[in-house]
Amino acid sequence: MKVTNKTTSTLALFATIAGGLGVLSGCRGDRSDKPPRQFFPDMDDQPKWKPQAETPFFANKRTMRETPANVVAFGRVGITGDQPWGKPWALQRTALLRDGEAVFYGTTGANADGTVKYVDRIPASIEITPDFIKLGQTKFNIYCSVCHGFDGAGKGMVGQAWSYALPNFYDPKYKDATQYTGKDGYIFNVIRNGVTTNGEQKMPPYGHALNEQQAWAVVAYFRALQEARSVPLSDVPESERPALEEKIRAAVAANASAPANTQGGGK
Ligand code: HEC
């Protein structure tokens, strides 16, 4: 290759850039007592006040300021309405909580004997659509099916190995709204808080994984599962029936040839 002036100057330029990059990247991991070089400080350093620190800005030097007189933080504990100035806030908060109690806790106050009163049905402010039920199905399959089975009969892989038979969601007590176990608010509570009997945790809570909306979606799917077992074939659109009947025939045949389940499990 004929070395022209142009190629030498290009090579020199490359060498300079490479050298420059080497310096810039420095030696990562090397220890130094000097403050780090900041080539692009952007938002590395911001003025801020740390809790419990001093500031010359205020006369009393506190960075943590006290609430000005008559200001009430909304979620503050201790505002009972006994204080005349606190009354409107307390009333407003009670009203808001009353509105949200059903949605956020699945309850509406207490029964005469002091036990919580579960809502019978999913609160009306929650719109139940096919997508909402599908969301419930997805969450149910992820979080519940391992124990309760995809169909809710209590024979998931973990459920079969449980030390006692897991409940069967088709048991009438989970449908009958005159019993607490049949109320949507109770199922919602089981999902969010698990089941604890005599201080012993029987079913783990899923409140960390399922927020209120998602938990109600699981309740909706729970009801859809139950409903699916009691719907007569005549309720299925005629065009869908042959395919469904074929599926049922295949399932019955597969069941007949499968070995019996001897691993315990629910009813
Ligand atoms: C790790 C296993 C496990 C998982 C996962 C699980 N459960 Fe349970 N579930 C149990 C056990 C065990 C019981 C029985 C508790 C008892 O002894 O009363 C139970 C009971 C229930 C009951 C009946 C409560 C009663 O008072 O009769 C419902 C309803 C229920 N589970 C719903 C769900 C739903 C919905 C999910 C998913 C969000 C879920 N469970 C996930 C183990 C599980």
Side-chain angles (χ1 to χ4, degrees), residues 140 143-144 146-148 158 162 164 166-167 169 173-174 180-181 186-187 190-191 195 197 202-204 206 210 218 222:
F140 183 93
Y143 294 110
C144 321
V146 279
C147 289
H148 292 286
V158 177
W162 211 260
Y164 54 92
L166 253 55
F169 294 161
K173 74 173 181 176
Y174 296 120
Y180 74 91
T181 47
Y186 178 67
I187 308 297
V190 169
I191 295 169
V195 180
T197 313
K202 301 288 190 176
M203 177 186 138
Y206 286 87
L210 300 168
V218 172
F222 181 94

Short mmCIF file of all heavy atoms in Angstrom, two decimals, residues 140 143-144 146-148 158 162 164 166-167 169 173-174 180-181 186-187 190-191 195 197 202-204 206 210 218 222, ligand 1:
data_model
loop_
_atom_site.label_atom_id
_atom_site.label_comp_id
_atom_site.label_asym_id
_atom_site.label_seq_id
_atom_site.Cartn_x
_atom_site.Cartn_y
_atom_site.Cartn_z
N PHE A 140 -55.09 -17.31 38.74
CA PHE A 140 -55.46 -18.56 39.42
C PHE A 140 -54.50 -19.67 39.00
O PHE A 140 -53.97 -20.42 39.83
CB PHE A 140 -56.90 -18.95 39.09
CG PHE A 140 -57.38 -20.19 39.80
CD1 PHE A 140 -58.05 -20.10 41.02
CD2 PHE A 140 -57.15 -21.45 39.26
CE1 PHE A 140 -58.47 -21.24 41.68
CE2 PHE A 140 -57.57 -22.60 39.93
CZ PHE A 140 -58.23 -22.49 41.14
N TYR A 143 -51.02 -18.91 40.65
CA TYR A 143 -50.85 -18.92 42.11
C TYR A 143 -51.64 -19.99 42.85
O TYR A 143 -51.28 -20.31 43.97
CB TYR A 143 -51.22 -17.54 42.68
CG TYR A 143 -50.26 -16.46 42.24
CD1 TYR A 143 -50.65 -15.48 41.34
CD2 TYR A 143 -48.94 -16.45 42.69
CE1 TYR A 143 -49.77 -14.50 40.91
CE2 TYR A 143 -48.05 -15.49 42.27
CZ TYR A 143 -48.47 -14.51 41.38
OH TYR A 143 -47.59 -13.56 40.95
N CYS A 144 -52.72 -20.47 42.29
CA CYS A 144 -53.59 -21.34 43.08
C CYS A 144 -53.56 -22.80 42.60
O CYS A 144 -53.76 -23.71 43.40
CB CYS A 144 -55.04 -20.85 43.03
SG CYS A 144 -55.20 -19.06 43.10
N VAL A 146 -51.33 -24.91 41.73
CA VAL A 146 -50.37 -25.89 42.28
C VAL A 146 -51.00 -26.70 43.41
O VAL A 146 -50.75 -27.89 43.54
CB VAL A 146 -49.07 -25.24 42.81
CG1 VAL A 146 -48.11 -24.95 41.69
CG2 VAL A 146 -49.35 -24.02 43.65
N CYS A 147 -51.78 -26.03 44.23
CA CYS A 147 -52.41 -26.74 45.34
C CYS A 147 -53.84 -27.16 45.00
O CYS A 147 -54.22 -28.30 45.20
CB CYS A 147 -52.44 -25.86 46.59
SG CYS A 147 -50.81 -25.63 47.30
N HIS A 148 -54.62 -26.20 44.48
CA HIS A 148 -56.05 -26.48 44.31
C HIS A 148 -56.38 -27.15 42.99
O HIS A 148 -57.52 -27.55 42.77
CB HIS A 148 -56.86 -25.19 44.48
CG HIS A 148 -56.82 -24.67 45.88
ND1 HIS A 148 -57.52 -25.25 46.90
CD2 HIS A 148 -56.15 -23.63 46.43
CE1 HIS A 148 -57.29 -24.59 48.03
NE2 HIS A 148 -56.45 -23.61 47.77
N VAL A 158 -49.10 -30.08 44.36
CA VAL A 158 -48.77 -29.88 45.77
C VAL A 158 -49.96 -30.29 46.65
O VAL A 158 -49.79 -30.90 47.70
CB VAL A 158 -48.37 -28.40 46.04
CG1 VAL A 158 -48.10 -28.16 47.51
CG2 VAL A 158 -47.14 -28.03 45.21
N TRP A 162 -50.45 -32.86 50.08
CA TRP A 162 -50.74 -32.16 51.34
C TRP A 162 -51.09 -33.18 52.41
O TRP A 162 -51.57 -34.27 52.10
CB TRP A 162 -51.91 -31.20 51.12
CG TRP A 162 -51.86 -29.98 51.99
CD1 TRP A 162 -52.55 -29.78 53.14
CD2 TRP A 162 -51.09 -28.79 51.76
NE1 TRP A 162 -52.25 -28.55 53.65
CE2 TRP A 162 -51.35 -27.91 52.83
CE3 TRP A 162 -50.20 -28.39 50.77
CZ2 TRP A 162 -50.77 -26.66 52.94
CZ3 TRP A 162 -49.61 -27.15 50.86
CH2 TRP A 162 -49.90 -26.30 51.94
N TYR A 164 -53.45 -33.22 54.47
CA TYR A 164 -54.89 -33.51 54.57
C TYR A 164 -55.55 -33.08 53.26
O TYR A 164 -54.94 -32.37 52.46
CB TYR A 164 -55.54 -32.81 55.76
CG TYR A 164 -55.33 -31.31 55.82
CD1 TYR A 164 -56.26 -30.44 55.24
CD2 TYR A 164 -54.23 -30.77 56.47
CE1 TYR A 164 -56.07 -29.07 55.31
CE2 TYR A 164 -54.03 -29.40 56.55
CZ TYR A 164 -54.96 -28.55 55.97
OH TYR A 164 -54.78 -27.20 56.03
N LEU A 166 -57.37 -31.20 50.56
CA LEU A 166 -57.65 -29.78 50.34
C LEU A 166 -59.13 -29.59 49.99
O LEU A 166 -59.75 -30.49 49.44
CB LEU A 166 -56.77 -29.25 49.19
CG LEU A 166 -55.64 -28.34 49.64
CD1 LEU A 166 -54.79 -29.03 50.69
CD2 LEU A 166 -54.77 -27.95 48.47
N PRO A 167 -59.67 -28.41 50.30
CA PRO A 167 -61.10 -28.21 50.01
C PRO A 167 -61.39 -28.30 48.51
O PRO A 167 -60.53 -28.03 47.69
CB PRO A 167 -61.38 -26.82 50.54
CG PRO A 167 -60.07 -26.17 50.75
CD PRO A 167 -59.06 -27.25 50.95
N PHE A 169 -63.63 -26.76 45.67
CA PHE A 169 -64.38 -25.52 45.47
C PHE A 169 -65.82 -25.74 44.99
O PHE A 169 -66.60 -24.80 44.91
CB PHE A 169 -63.65 -24.59 44.50
CG PHE A 169 -62.33 -24.09 45.02
CD1 PHE A 169 -61.37 -23.58 44.15
CD2 PHE A 169 -62.04 -24.12 46.37
CE1 PHE A 169 -60.15 -23.12 44.64
CE2 PHE A 169 -60.82 -23.67 46.87
CZ PHE A 169 -59.87 -23.17 45.99
N LYS A 173 -70.82 -25.32 50.26
CA LYS A 173 -70.57 -24.26 51.25
C LYS A 173 -69.78 -23.09 50.66
O LYS A 173 -69.74 -22.01 51.23
CB LYS A 173 -69.87 -24.81 52.49
CG LYS A 173 -68.41 -25.15 52.31
CD LYS A 173 -67.82 -25.53 53.67
CE LYS A 173 -66.33 -25.85 53.54
NZ LYS A 173 -65.70 -26.12 54.79
N TYR A 174 -69.14 -23.30 49.50
CA TYR A 174 -68.43 -22.19 48.85
C TYR A 174 -69.30 -21.44 47.85
O TYR A 174 -68.84 -20.58 47.12
CB TYR A 174 -67.15 -22.70 48.16
CG TYR A 174 -66.17 -23.25 49.16
CD1 TYR A 174 -65.75 -24.57 49.08
CD2 TYR A 174 -65.70 -22.46 50.20
CE1 TYR A 174 -64.86 -25.09 50.00
CE2 TYR A 174 -64.82 -22.98 51.14
CZ TYR A 174 -64.41 -24.29 51.03
OH TYR A 174 -63.53 -24.80 51.97
N TYR A 180 -70.62 -17.80 55.63
CA TYR A 180 -69.53 -16.87 55.30
C TYR A 180 -68.61 -17.45 54.21
O TYR A 180 -68.05 -16.73 53.39
CB TYR A 180 -68.75 -16.47 56.56
CG TYR A 180 -67.84 -17.53 57.12
CD1 TYR A 180 -66.51 -17.60 56.71
CD2 TYR A 180 -68.28 -18.47 58.06
CE1 TYR A 180 -65.65 -18.58 57.21
CE2 TYR A 180 -67.43 -19.44 58.56
CZ TYR A 180 -66.13 -19.50 58.13
OH TYR A 180 -65.29 -20.46 58.62
N THR A 181 -68.47 -18.77 54.18
CA THR A 181 -67.57 -19.39 53.19
C THR A 181 -68.07 -19.22 51.76
O THR A 181 -67.31 -19.36 50.82
CB THR A 181 -67.44 -20.91 53.45
OG1 THR A 181 -68.75 -21.43 53.65
CG2 THR A 181 -66.57 -21.20 54.65
N TYR A 186 -65.36 -13.25 51.49
CA TYR A 186 -64.54 -14.23 52.23
C TYR A 186 -63.47 -14.83 51.31
O TYR A 186 -62.30 -14.92 51.69
CB TYR A 186 -65.41 -15.34 52.83
CG TYR A 186 -64.55 -16.36 53.56
CD1 TYR A 186 -63.86 -16.01 54.72
CD2 TYR A 186 -64.38 -17.65 53.06
CE1 TYR A 186 -63.03 -16.91 55.36
CE2 TYR A 186 -63.56 -18.56 53.70
CZ TYR A 186 -62.89 -18.19 54.85
OH TYR A 186 -62.05 -19.08 55.48
N ILE A 187 -63.86 -15.20 50.10
CA ILE A 187 -62.90 -15.77 49.14
C ILE A 187 -61.79 -14.74 48.88
O ILE A 187 -60.61 -15.09 48.86
CB ILE A 187 -63.61 -16.16 47.80
CG1 ILE A 187 -64.83 -17.04 48.07
CG2 ILE A 187 -62.62 -16.84 46.86
CD1 ILE A 187 -64.56 -18.37 48.72
N VAL A 190 -59.46 -14.80 51.75
CA VAL A 190 -58.59 -15.99 51.73
C VAL A 190 -57.44 -15.75 50.76
O VAL A 190 -56.28 -16.03 51.06
CB VAL A 190 -59.41 -17.25 51.34
CG1 VAL A 190 -58.48 -18.42 51.05
CG2 VAL A 190 -60.39 -17.62 52.44
N ILE A 191 -57.75 -15.18 49.59
CA ILE A 191 -56.71 -14.93 48.58
C ILE A 191 -55.67 -13.94 49.13
O ILE A 191 -54.48 -14.18 49.05
CB ILE A 191 -57.35 -14.37 47.29
CG1 ILE A 191 -58.25 -15.42 46.66
CG2 ILE A 191 -56.27 -13.92 46.31
CD1 ILE A 191 -59.13 -14.89 45.54
N VAL A 195 -55.27 -18.59 54.98
CA VAL A 195 -56.15 -19.17 55.99
C VAL A 195 -55.32 -19.48 57.23
O VAL A 195 -54.30 -20.15 57.15
CB VAL A 195 -56.80 -20.48 55.49
CG1 VAL A 195 -57.71 -21.08 56.57
CG2 VAL A 195 -57.57 -20.27 54.21
N THR A 197 -55.88 -20.99 61.09
CA THR A 197 -56.83 -21.60 62.02
C THR A 197 -56.13 -21.78 63.36
O THR A 197 -55.05 -22.38 63.41
CB THR A 197 -57.30 -22.97 61.48
OG1 THR A 197 -57.64 -22.81 60.10
CG2 THR A 197 -58.51 -23.48 62.23
N LYS A 202 -52.56 -22.16 57.62
CA LYS A 202 -52.88 -23.35 56.82
C LYS A 202 -52.64 -23.08 55.35
O LYS A 202 -52.06 -23.89 54.65
CB LYS A 202 -54.35 -23.74 57.02
CG LYS A 202 -54.71 -24.04 58.44
CD LYS A 202 -54.10 -25.35 58.87
CE LYS A 202 -54.67 -25.79 60.22
NZ LYS A 202 -54.16 -27.09 60.60
N MET A 203 -53.14 -21.97 54.88
CA MET A 203 -52.89 -21.59 53.48
C MET A 203 -52.11 -20.28 53.46
O MET A 203 -52.46 -19.35 54.18
CB MET A 203 -54.22 -21.42 52.74
CG MET A 203 -54.01 -20.97 51.29
SD MET A 203 -55.55 -20.58 50.43
CE MET A 203 -55.03 -19.09 49.58
N PRO A 204 -51.04 -20.18 52.64
CA PRO A 204 -50.27 -18.93 52.63
C PRO A 204 -51.05 -17.78 52.00
O PRO A 204 -51.91 -18.02 51.14
CB PRO A 204 -49.05 -19.27 51.77
CG PRO A 204 -49.44 -20.46 50.96
CD PRO A 204 -50.49 -21.19 51.73
N TYR A 206 -51.67 -14.49 49.57
CA TYR A 206 -51.16 -14.07 48.26
C TYR A 206 -51.33 -12.56 48.04
O TYR A 206 -51.29 -12.10 46.91
CB TYR A 206 -51.81 -14.90 47.14
CG TYR A 206 -51.19 -16.28 47.14
CD1 TYR A 206 -51.72 -17.28 47.95
CD2 TYR A 206 -50.02 -16.54 46.45
CE1 TYR A 206 -51.10 -18.52 48.05
CE2 TYR A 206 -49.40 -17.76 46.54
CZ TYR A 206 -49.95 -18.75 47.34
OH TYR A 206 -49.31 -19.95 47.44
N LEU A 210 -51.02 -10.50 44.55
CA LEU A 210 -52.29 -10.13 43.91
C LEU A 210 -52.85 -8.89 44.61
O LEU A 210 -53.20 -8.95 45.78
CB LEU A 210 -53.29 -11.29 44.03
CG LEU A 210 -52.84 -12.60 43.37
CD1 LEU A 210 -53.74 -13.75 43.77
CD2 LEU A 210 -52.84 -12.46 41.85
N VAL A 218 -59.62 -12.99 40.53
CA VAL A 218 -59.54 -14.42 40.86
C VAL A 218 -60.88 -14.88 41.44
O VAL A 218 -61.36 -15.98 41.12
CB VAL A 218 -58.38 -14.70 41.85
CG1 VAL A 218 -58.42 -16.14 42.33
CG2 VAL A 218 -57.04 -14.41 41.19
N PHE A 222 -63.08 -17.85 40.07
CA PHE A 222 -63.51 -18.88 41.01
C PHE A 222 -65.00 -19.18 40.79
O PHE A 222 -65.43 -20.32 40.71
CB PHE A 222 -63.24 -18.34 42.42
CG PHE A 222 -63.58 -19.23 43.57
CD1 PHE A 222 -62.61 -20.04 44.13
CD2 PHE A 222 -64.85 -19.21 44.14
CE1 PHE A 222 -62.90 -20.84 45.24
CE2 PHE A 222 -65.14 -20.00 45.24
CZ PHE A 222 -64.17 -20.81 45.79
C1 HEC B 1 -49.54 -23.89 49.01
C2 HEC B 1 -50.82 -24.43 48.72
C3 HEC B 1 -51.96 -23.49 48.46
C4 HEC B 1 -52.02 -22.51 47.49
C5 HEC B 1 -50.97 -22.15 46.47
C6 HEC B 1 -53.33 -21.92 47.61
N1 HEC B 1 -54.04 -22.51 48.60
FE1 HEC B 1 -55.98 -22.19 49.07
N2 HEC B 1 -55.87 -23.54 50.54
C7 HEC B 1 -54.76 -24.29 50.87
C8 HEC B 1 -55.04 -25.09 52.03
C9 HEC B 1 -54.08 -26.04 52.72
C10 HEC B 1 -56.37 -24.82 52.39
C11 HEC B 1 -57.15 -25.40 53.55
C12 HEC B 1 -57.00 -24.52 54.75
C13 HEC B 1 -57.69 -25.10 55.96
O1 HEC B 1 -57.07 -25.95 56.61
O2 HEC B 1 -58.84 -24.72 56.21
C14 HEC B 1 -56.85 -23.84 51.43
C15 HEC B 1 -58.14 -23.32 51.46
C16 HEC B 1 -58.66 -22.50 50.50
C17 HEC B 1 -60.04 -22.06 50.46
C18 HEC B 1 -61.13 -22.46 51.41
C19 HEC B 1 -61.07 -21.68 52.70
C20 HEC B 1 -62.06 -22.15 53.74
O3 HEC B 1 -62.19 -21.43 54.74
O4 HEC B 1 -62.69 -23.18 53.60
C21 HEC B 1 -60.16 -21.25 49.37
C22 HEC B 1 -61.42 -20.54 48.89
C23 HEC B 1 -58.86 -21.16 48.75
N3 HEC B 1 -57.96 -21.93 49.46
C24 HEC B 1 -58.57 -20.42 47.64
C25 HEC B 1 -57.28 -20.27 47.11
C26 HEC B 1 -56.97 -19.40 46.01
C27 HEC B 1 -57.98 -18.60 45.23
C28 HEC B 1 -55.62 -19.50 45.80
C29 HEC B 1 -54.78 -18.73 44.82
C30 HEC B 1 -54.69 -17.31 45.05
C31 HEC B 1 -55.11 -20.46 46.75
N4 HEC B 1 -56.13 -20.89 47.55
C32 HEC B 1 -53.79 -20.89 46.81
C33 HEC B 1 -53.56 -24.30 50.21
C34 HEC B 1 -53.23 -23.47 49.16
#
